[in-house]
Amino acid sequence: MSMQDYEKLKELLANNKKWPMLYMFKFIVPNEDGKVQQVVDLLPKHGTVTYNHTKNLKYVSVTCRVSMKSANAIIDVTSQVAIIEGVMSL
């Protein structure tokens, strides 16, 4: 994600007046070199994580539903995961 994308996301999240809120993180992760575990390790520990593999097992969709306290907390997690090469944020 570019800085512009993070700013747009932050603006959209800021419009929510009720915090904490239930948020769904969703990432498409290459199923190689432990990247799926790297993503899971960066997600909030109190969330519910689910996985969905592509037919050829090349990619894994990682979804985490979790109560988040602020827009900044969501941006922090998303930006940390984005550092992992090949990960796509949805």
Side-chain angles (χ1 to χ4, degrees):
M1 285 181 107
S2 70
M3 283 303 266
Q4 236 178 356
D5 292 333
Y6 287 121
E7 289 301 319
K8 286 179 189 177
L9 177 60
K10 189 172 182 177
E11 184 179 319
L12 287 172
L13 292 169
N15 289 333
N16 180 39
K17 304 297 183 205
K18 294 181 182 179
W19 293 96
M21 72 176 270
L22 185 62
Y23 188 78
M24 184 175 71
F25 293 98
K26 188 163 187 116
F27 302 100
I28 305 299
V29 184
N31 193 13
E32 60 187 27
D33 302 327
K35 291 182 180 181
V36 173
Q37 189 59 50
Q38 289 175 24
V39 169
V40 172
D41 289 345
L42 293 172
L43 295 172
K45 303 303 178 221
H46 58 281
T48 302
V49 179
T50 57
Y51 307 90
N52 191 12
H53 302 287
T54 56
K55 286 183 181 181
N56 63 4
L57 301 178
K58 188 173 180 177
Y59 294 96
V60 179
S61 168
V62 178
T63 304
C64 178
R65 289 179 178 82
V66 62
S67 178
M68 297 298 288
K69 293 183 180 182
S70 68
N72 286 336
I74 293 170
I75 298 296
D76 288 345
V77 171
T78 305
S79 62
Q80 288 176 1
V81 171
I83 293 171
I84 301 169
E85 186 178 337
V87 174
M88 294 177 276
S89 178
L90 302 178

